[in-house]
Amino acid sequence: MDIKLDPSRDDLPLMANTSHILVKHYVLDLDVDFESQIIEGTIVLFFESGNKFKKQSSSTEETYPSESNEACKFRTPEPCRIPVTNTRTVSSKMGYNDFVICGKGEKDTSGKDGNHDNQEQASGISSSKYCCDTGNHGSEDFLLVLDCCDLSVLKVEEVDVAAVPGIEKFTRSPKLRNQIVRELVALPADRWSEQLDYYARCSQAPGCGELLFDIDTWSLQIRKTGVQTATDFPHAIRIRYTTKPQGRSVTWTSDQSGRPCVYTMGSPINNRALFPCQEPPVAMSTWQATVRAAASFVVLMSGENSAKPTQLREGCSSWHYYVTMPMPASTFTIAVGSWTEAKPEICSSDDLATEGSFSPFEADFRYVGVCGHMEYPCRFQNASATTQEIIPHRVFAPVCLKGACRETLLPLIPPCLSAAHSVLGTHPFSRLDVLIVPANFPSLGMASPHLVFLSQSTLTGMSQFCGTRLCHEIAHAWFGLAIGARDWTEEWLSEGFATHLEDVFWAKAQQLAPHEAQEQRELKACLRWRRLQDEVRNSPEDMQVLRPNKEKTGHVSDSGSSVIKHGLNPEKVFMQVHYLKGYFLLRFLARRLGDDTYFSFLRKFVHKFHGQLILSQDFLQMLLESIPEERRLELSVENIFQDWLESSGIPQPLQRERLAGAECGLVRQVSAEGSAGGAVAKWVRVNRRPRKRKRKETEEVLEKLLPDQLVLLLEHLLEQRTMNPRTLQRLERTYHLSEQDAEVRHRWCELVVKHKYAKAYRNVERFLQEDQAMGIYLYGELMVSEDARQQHLARRCFELSKEQMDRSSAEVVAEMLF
């Protein structure tokens, strides 16, 4: 029985029929227009039909389209619930504007068709009765379904790849268009350059017939009259389209220097409002893109090459990027703005060596092991790449933050990259750009192939906050990108690993002694334990489960469509349960094995599964096989599922560990209960003392604390019922709290709000404006106090920033304020 698509308000539908036909390569040709705030142009999609699909190398019994060598046995699809002949499919000559859908719950504003609501125009796709079975149904045409939202599709046509000069060079059937594409996508990895060249040539070939298409809230449906199977459907199609200013995949805003810019968010709806695509993670594809913008702008993108601009007509530049490692379309990222590159003031010989590093595809391939992924030019098979500790890297930012990047961020990248290599081995990607994104970016960071976004919040205070966040995003190169989750509900496979590894990378980057590294890791564990307890107390139970689909995790409909549970819930963006529970599970397992054994296993796991998609059991089964029987102590995949992944609340093994665990020295220095030496106890005594006291008595609190220790101190002081203004003033002066990193300043602002310390309200206002990725919770605190001055402060800050604020963040804050 097929999965019926009946998404609730919070669930995200993945509509593409990936079980029938897969996109293997995208060629994008786009113009960025800042005046109209649209990106327009064409995308050419090259397909492989379903009979070429392979079986997933997962431990599950189900079969899915994937990358290994065994043929997939497909279930017979059921008849389509709503026949294609009943859909309002039209010729692309009529133009998209006749059937424009503006978004969920909105009206069609075009004059020609009148005002029809989405339900009337959705062609049944969003209906619970429609299951996206779009294979061969007897006399009906095959229907290609792409994930698409907030786009204006203008024209869809078949591409005449047979008209490309020289195409007969590598194909046995130069007149059969589909056969040409089949042979093109099947070219071996050592012909990657030739393959990209012919993809580009084919993308510019003339059209040879317009295709019928229809569009609804979540998908674009395309058919060719008389074509009844995916095998016979055109394997190269061109779509002309434009984005919309309000499209949820792209953010048009201004940078910190007041200059216009645009970037892709990748969430909550991924890239379907940037280009029509196949969103399910099994749709692993490569891409190349040419992007034109005014000459004053820099275009950064997920790409293996460090692109340089080509000057076109006066005032316009063109940028070209490409990727040869197949990745889900959701990982495609672009940022266009007046970015400036931050370079070291003095370029050392080490820097020159790094900048001059080879392109992995220019070196000879030396196969050092068998990979389990589909064939591509893999760095793990390149002997030179395996020893490259520091990949070439660049840092970009608005001009006003160039100095801060040079001082804080730039020196951290080499040691963090080197640390990651020492733990996990070969860097999956050949280079790295890091961009400081605008203030409205709703997260501290986001990793995509070859490009990392970092919030400006990471640049303040000492280097620790920036370093740990950078290490987190670098870890995603392995977990989240090179190794992806086959089911997006298993986010812990990305975020849990990155959270666990950031501590390990950062300790090595600092070259800490083993006991120092252990102390810092235990301090982090203490902070995360407190955070997890708070998260569990204040979030819905069903959103605390890391594997909500349980035994159905990884299952999709016969067509390949599925629904991502809670994928559209705006509150989910701000939850950390999958980070924290995933982190504690990996910490628990590492302790069971011992660090040396665990990280040795992790390198083997990365080598086996890079370039592939996994489910939780793939990791857990391989891990348990690495544990001697006598040390497993009844540990099993089923027990881990039950205790850690498929239940809400705090896992029992974690509760037992935290109750039995002894606090580390760094924690005791802050919070030793009943101890005269703990910083918390000292400040509580200061707060209770009368106004007049001796100078000597105040000096005892003047001890230096690490940023994480300051966070812990402030969290403990937040538990005090009252703190008088003079204590808060002394606290701020002692530790220079307004100059600390964003984590410390966030706790300080909470303390200011709780105790209505009006002298520091300017710190709260600054935080809400400059640290938007972390300030959402503060709005709620300002409102629940029922203090008129604080509520006015919250509303004033929101009015100043709401137009630029991320959409999900603005929705959550507006609900708090009004």
Side-chain angles (χ1 to χ4, degrees):
M1 187 68 179
D2 208 350
I3 294 175
K4 295 181 179 180
L5 294 186
D6 187 15
S8 69
R9 180 182 67 87
D10 293 335
D11 293 338
L12 175 67
L14 304 181
M15 306 295 289
N17 53 336
T18 54
S19 292
H20 299 139
I21 191 166
L22 272 182
V23 177
K24 302 301 291 182
H25 189 77
Y26 296 96
V27 178
L28 296 100
D29 189 82
L30 303 173
D31 289 279
V32 180
D33 187 340
F34 281 95
E35 288 189 13
S36 59
Q37 293 193 342
I38 64 169
I39 298 173
E40 62 181 338
T42 62
I43 181 170
V44 177
L45 294 75
F46 295 87
F47 295 99
E48 178 183 72
S49 52
N51 60 358
K52 295 285 188 181
F53 293 176
K54 316 299 181 186
K55 182 179 178 181
Q56 174 74 17
S57 58
S58 168
S59 57
T60 56
E61 295 179 0
E62 293 288 335
T63 57
Y64 301 90
S66 186
E67 298 79 43
S68 69
N69 294 323
E70 188 175 345
C72 178
K73 297 178 181 177
F74 285 98
R75 293 165 287 179
T76 303
E78 296 182 0
C80 186
R81 298 300 191 273
I82 295 182
V84 173
T85 52
N86 288 344
T87 63
R88 187 173 41 76
T89 310
V90 296
S91 167
S92 57
K93 291 180 180 178
M94 297 178 68
Y96 173 80
N97 287 332
D98 294 333
F99 305 97
V100 62
I101 305 287
C102 301
K104 197 166 187 177
E106 297 178 2
K107 300 287 186 180
D108 171 16
T109 56
S110 64
K112 189 170 183 178
D113 242 14
N115 290 329
H116 299 294
D117 62 23
N118 285 349
Q119 194 62 38
E120 293 172 338
Q121 296 199 51
S123 300
I125 292 286
S126 297
S127 165
S128 61
K129 295 182 179 180
Y130 189 79
C131 64
C132 275
D133 261 343
T134 49
N136 181 9
H137 306 294
S139 62
E140 296 168 3
D141 292 339
F142 170 77
L143 188 68
L144 168 68
V145 180
L146 299 175
D147 294 294
C148 177
C149 181
D150 301 336
L151 293 178
S152 295
V153 176
L154 307 173
K155 181 180 181 180
V156 182
E157 63 182 348
E158 182 177 0
V159 178
D160 187 8
V161 294
V164 174
I167 198 74
E168 66 278 358
K169 171 181 171 182
F170 69 88
T171 179
R172 296 185 300 271
S173 307
K175 294 183 180 180
L176 300 177
R177 288 189 288 269
N178 279 7
Q179 185 61 32
I180 290 172
V181 176
R182 290 190 191 101
E183 295 181 28
L184 177 57
V185 301
L187 283 178
D190 60 1
R191 295 176 68 181
W192 66 270
S193 181
E194 180 184 11
Q195 185 182 46
L196 285 177
D197 179 54
Y198 273 98
Y199 276 138
R201 293 189 192 187
C202 289
S203 72
Q204 297 167 11
C208 57
E210 295 191 17
L211 302 177
L212 307 177
F213 73 91
D214 197 11
I215 195 164
D216 65 20
T217 306
W218 291 114
S219 71
L220 170 65
Q221 309 119 51
I222 303 168
R223 69 181 176 93
K224 180 177 180 180
T225 303
V227 171
Q228 298 176 9
T229 66
T231 303
D232 295 329
F233 188 81
H235 278 33
I237 68 170
R238 181 187 293 113
I239 302 172
R240 180 167 294 281
Y241 73 98
T242 69
T243 64
K244 298 183 179 181
Q246 73 274 21
R248 281 165 279 180
S249 298
V250 290
T251 299
W252 299 88
T253 186
S254 299
D255 67 18
Q256 293 85 340
S257 295
R259 299 177 179 177
C261 61
V262 62
Y263 62 87
T264 54
M265 253 312 294
S267 67
I269 66 167
N270 298 319
N271 279 322
R272 68 185 72 186
L274 176 63
F275 57 89
C277 56
Q278 291 182 330
E279 286 284 15
V282 295
M284 307 267 276
S285 60
T286 53
W287 60 75
Q288 60 196 110
T290 298
V291 179
R292 288 171 295 278
S296 59
F297 292 100
V298 173
V299 177
L300 301 177
M301 192 186 297
S302 305
E304 289 160 18
N305 58 314
S306 297
K308 302 296 182 183
T310 299
Q311 297 300 319
L312 302 176
R313 59 187 181 276
E314 186 177 351
C316 181
S317 296
S318 175
W319 302 70
H320 180 77
Y321 289 88
Y322 63 84
V323 163
T324 61
M325 175 182 175
M327 301 287 293
S330 60
T331 64
F332 181 99
T333 305
I334 185 171
V336 184
S338 299
W339 323 121
T340 183
E341 185 177 356
K343 297 181 180 179
E345 291 185 358
I346 301 176
C347 189
S348 69
S349 58
D350 289 341
D351 292 326
L352 286 170
T354 299
E355 290 301 319
S357 297
F358 66 96
S359 165
F361 308 120
E362 293 169 359
D364 293 333
F365 280 93
R366 300 177 186 177
Y367 291 90
V368 294
V370 178
C371 294
H373 54 71
M374 68 177 77
E375 189 182 10
Y376 64 82
C378 179
R379 287 174 56 81
F380 286 77
Q381 297 174 353
N382 186 308
S384 299
T386 59
T387 59
Q388 189 182 26
E389 295 182 19
I390 303 171
I391 55 176
H393 52 274
R394 304 180 298 181
V395 172
F396 291 88
V399 64
C400 64
L401 294 177
K402 183 177 180 179
C405 286
R406 185 186 295 126
E407 294 172 14
T408 303
L409 174 58
L410 203 55
L412 294 175
I413 297 179
C416 290
L417 288 172
S418 180
H421 181 273
S422 71
V423 176
L424 295 179
T426 307
H427 287 281
F429 302 104
S430 58
R431 68 175 196 93
L432 176 66
D433 282 341
V434 181
L435 172 66
I436 301 300
V437 282
N440 68 344
F441 188 69
S443 171
L444 289 173
M446 186 180 82
S448 62
H450 319 98
L451 178 59
V452 162
F453 290 171
L454 282 183
S455 165
Q456 64 178 24
S457 298
T458 62
L459 298 178
T460 57
M462 297 170 62
S463 63
Q464 177 180 312
F465 188 52
C466 186
T468 54
R469 194 68 217 182
L470 179 62
C471 285
H472 182 101
E473 304 307 333
I474 288 173
H476 277 313
W478 287 267
F479 291 95
L481 295 175
I483 301 175
R486 207 176 80 202
D487 188 317
W488 280 342
T489 61
E490 293 199 307
E491 293 171 81
W492 82 273
L493 289 170
S494 174
E495 299 301 351
F497 275 92
T499 304
H500 189 236
L501 287 167
E502 73 179 57
D503 297 349
V504 182
F505 291 179
W506 181 235
K508 286 186 175 292
Q510 296 175 90
Q511 299 182 329
L512 297 179
H515 73 280
E516 291 179 300
Q518 182 63 22
E519 284 281 296
Q520 285 198 10
R521 285 162 70 172
E522 290 302 316
L523 174 57
K524 277 286 191 184
C526 175
L527 289 171
R528 289 175 181 139
W529 167 246
R530 294 172 62 87
R531 210 160 296 162
L532 179 59
Q533 288 178 301
D534 184 63
E535 190 105 339
V536 166
R537 282 192 298 265
N538 297 291
S539 61
E541 284 193 7
D542 62 337
M543 295 182 71
Q544 299 173 19
V545 180
L546 302 192
R547 196 170 180 261
N549 293 334
K550 299 185 178 179
E551 71 277 0
K552 293 184 178 179
T553 301
H555 288 209
V556 296
S557 71
D558 284 339
S559 70
S561 59
S562 61
V563 170
I564 304 303
K565 198 169 182 62
H566 306 303
L568 292 174
N569 190 323
E571 295 181 12
K572 190 174 186 299
V573 179
F574 308 105
M575 292 185 63
Q576 295 186 326
V577 167
H578 45 289
Y579 291 75
L580 298 171
K581 288 176 74 171
Y583 156 81
F584 277 114
L585 170 56
L586 295 171
R587 173 184 159 91
F588 167 79
L589 294 172
R591 286 187 159 197
R592 180 66 65 90
L593 270 74
D595 276 354
D596 290 343
T597 303
Y598 174 77
F599 287 108
S600 176
F601 156 76
L602 208 56
R603 287 177 74 115
K604 294 175 184 175
F605 180 80
V606 164
H607 194 275
K608 179 177 180 179
F609 283 101
H610 71 272
Q612 299 178 67
L613 303 173
I614 64 168
L615 298 175
S616 294
Q617 54 263 44
D618 295 310
F619 171 75
L620 296 173
Q621 285 176 353
M622 184 173 170
L623 177 75
L624 294 179
E625 289 169 0
S626 304
I627 305 178
E629 189 68 37
E630 66 273 11
R631 295 180 62 188
R632 291 189 193 177
L633 301 177
E634 299 182 353
L635 202 61
S636 68
V637 174
E638 292 73 22
N639 290 343
I640 294 172
F641 278 171
Q642 183 177 346
D643 292 341
W644 292 88
L645 302 181
E646 294 181 355
S647 57
S648 60
I650 296 177
Q652 288 297 324
L654 177 56
Q655 291 184 11
R656 291 192 294 269
E657 177 197 288
R658 297 309 297 178
L659 288 172
E663 287 183 336
C664 69
L666 293 177
V667 174
R668 287 196 300 272
Q669 188 179 348
V670 174
S671 62
E673 298 295 336
S675 166
V680 174
K682 292 178 181 179
W683 282 104
V684 169
R685 288 199 301 273
V686 167
N687 190 53
R688 290 173 180 170
R689 285 174 185 160
R691 190 173 186 87
K692 293 181 180 179
R693 58 197 172 283
K694 296 179 182 178
R695 180 183 179 89
K696 186 178 180 180
E697 290 176 326
T698 67
E699 290 177 351
E700 63 177 315
V701 301
L702 300 177
E703 54 189 318
K704 189 173 182 180
L705 297 177
L706 296 172
D708 282 340
Q709 288 180 299
L710 281 175
V711 171
L712 184 60
L713 169 63
L714 295 175
E715 287 186 358
H716 277 291
L717 293 180
L718 275 164
E719 296 168 2
Q720 299 296 310
R721 289 190 61 184
T722 60
M723 292 195 72
N724 60 57
R726 64 178 180 275
T727 302
L728 292 171
Q729 183 181 41
R730 186 168 297 110
L731 188 71
E732 198 281 330
R733 289 179 177 175
T734 300
Y735 300 116
H736 308 286
L737 294 177
S738 61
E739 301 169 16
Q740 295 286 346
D741 67 40
E743 285 275 19
V744 176
R745 289 187 287 109
H746 185 256
R747 301 310 188 284
W748 167 237
C749 288
E750 289 182 72
L751 208 58
V752 168
V753 171
K754 177 174 180 177
H755 299 292
K756 299 180 173 62
Y757 182 43
K759 286 185 178 180
Y761 281 175
R762 64 186 182 280
N763 295 156
V764 178
E765 292 185 36
R766 174 191 161 203
F767 195 90
L768 292 177
Q769 296 296 306
E770 298 180 6
D771 300 279
Q772 293 182 29
M774 303 174 67
I776 302 301
Y777 178 74
L778 278 180
Y779 279 104
E781 292 297 291
L782 287 165
M783 296 306 295
V784 298
S785 67
E786 297 186 354
D787 177 85
R789 185 174 177 183
Q790 288 193 358
Q791 291 184 345
H792 176 70
L793 186 156
R795 291 194 174 100
R796 185 174 73 253
C797 287
F798 183 60
E799 284 298 317
L800 289 173
S801 58
K802 69 179 181 181
E803 293 303 320
Q804 296 288 334
M805 191 178 286
D806 167 73
R807 181 182 300 192
S808 294
S809 302
E811 288 175 2
V812 172
V813 174
E815 194 170 329
M816 292 176 183
L817 301 186
F818 305 103

